[in-house]
Amino acid sequence: MAKQPQPISPLKNFFAGGFGGVCLVFVGHPLDTIKVRLQTQPKPQPGQAPLYSGTFDCFRKTLVGEGVQGLYRGMAAPIIGVTPMFAVCFFGFGLGKRLQQRKPDDVLTYPQLFAAGMLSGVFTTVIMAPGERIKCLLQIQAATGETKYSGSLDCAKQLYREAGIRGVYKGTVLTLMRDVPASGMYFMTYEWLKNILTPEGKSVSDLSVPRILFAGGLAGIFNWAVAIPPDVLKSRFQTAPAGKYPNGFRDVLRELIREEGVASLYKGFTAVMIRAFPANAACFLGFEVAMKFLNWVAPGL
């Protein structure tokens, strides 16, 4: 594989990752809204058509009924959380790589990169779980026509008032089940693609913008190929009324399989895959641009 830039700086990863996360949210949030609405729409009664027939129908109805702002429902929560979340994510990946190096110039294997990526998934769950809970509730609220929460902060306050910190962090185990293996796949795929796209004798840090976009976008697709089933379970569980699933995700899984079949675990697949490429391409491009800037202004950081 092509040689990785050395030394690894978890602190630079922290700041560059935060900027990359902001880029991801702005590009990908509209399709994230579509994904959540598809995943959480109720099962239609016999003889009735489903609320949304698919990704494009959901997109059209949201746009017609709520305008462009409807596609950005709940974006405040991920924007507030995404900078520290992606900062911690990339910091965790950088730290995971550093911990596996015996010498600063060691080149990591792909299994080691996968392990470092999994560590980043553990790091981000503390921020990701409550952010996802609030985002999902706000995204489906507009679709149901009810207005229980006036915004992200109001949603967080009500959740805490109703069930304490456990109410805010509902779905944490499912967030871990989604993000730990998916993050391993995410970062390993990105590093693998950067290596194979780097011309012989060149450094991965010299990759062109189109190649960075391609590697980042494809890494996002590999990430979501792993993450979709637990993400469906997480969305259902986090938006369900209190007490509906007393045994946690096992009850959600049993209900989905019994009522809608295995295919229900891939609800929102089209929206996720359409979103994955441009959103993660933007994320990694933002990360690489920010990293180059940091290397220029603070080479010793």
Side-chain angles (χ1 to χ4, degrees), residues 42-51:
K43 185 181 179 182
Q45 297 297 319
Q48 291 185 345
L51 182 60

Side-chain angles (χ1 to χ4, degrees), residues 13-203:
N13 275 30
F14 180 86
F15 292 112
F19 181 71
V22 172
C23 294
L24 180 144
V25 172
F26 274 107
V27 173
H29 192 80
L31 279 162
D32 185 73
T33 297
I34 302 303
K35 177 206 69 165
V36 171
R37 290 186 177 184
L38 288 170
Q39 289 176 342
T40 58
Q41 67 173 321
K43 185 181 179 182
Q45 297 297 319
Q48 291 185 345
L51 182 60
Y52 307 116
S53 62
T55 298
F56 297 104
D57 180 55
C58 184
F59 181 87
R60 180 184 62 81
K61 286 179 177 175
T62 301
L63 200 59
V64 170
E66 304 168 53
V68 174
Q69 67 178 13
L71 296 170
Y72 283 90
R73 294 284 181 196
M75 195 177 76
I79 280 292
I80 291 169
V82 81
T83 300
M85 191 273 291
F86 268 84
V88 169
C89 177
F90 279 83
F91 172 83
F93 180 58
L95 181 63
K97 291 194 289 184
R98 275 280 292 272
L99 290 173
Q100 296 180 89
Q101 287 183 311
R102 294 183 178 180
K103 297 178 294 185
D105 59 348
D106 282 348
V107 177
L108 300 180
T109 64
Y110 292 120
Q112 287 175 314
L113 292 170
F114 187 85
M118 288 197 298
L119 180 63
S120 77
V122 175
F123 272 50
T124 57
T125 298
V126 174
I127 301 170
M128 178 70 84
E132 287 276 298
R133 169 98 154 115
I134 293 166
K135 172 183 71 69
C136 289
L137 287 170
L138 290 174
Q139 285 173 327
I140 67 165
Q141 173 178 267
T144 61
E146 300 175 1
T147 307
K148 182 178 180 181
Y149 310 112
S150 61
S152 298
L153 186 58
D154 180 55
C155 182
K157 286 180 178 178
Q158 289 196 45
L159 290 173
Y160 184 78
R161 192 182 309 124
E162 292 167 3
I165 197 68
R166 292 185 65 180
V168 178
Y169 273 87
K170 182 179 179 180
T172 298
V173 172
L174 280 164
T175 305
L176 276 169
M177 288 172 61
R178 181 192 69 175
D179 288 350
V180 170
S183 294
M185 181 63 73
Y186 187 52
F187 284 107
M188 183 189 71
T189 302
Y190 181 63
E191 296 289 339
W192 168 63
L193 288 168
K194 283 204 304 179
N195 285 327
I196 66 174
L197 290 171
T198 300
E200 190 68 32
K202 298 285 187 177
S203 169

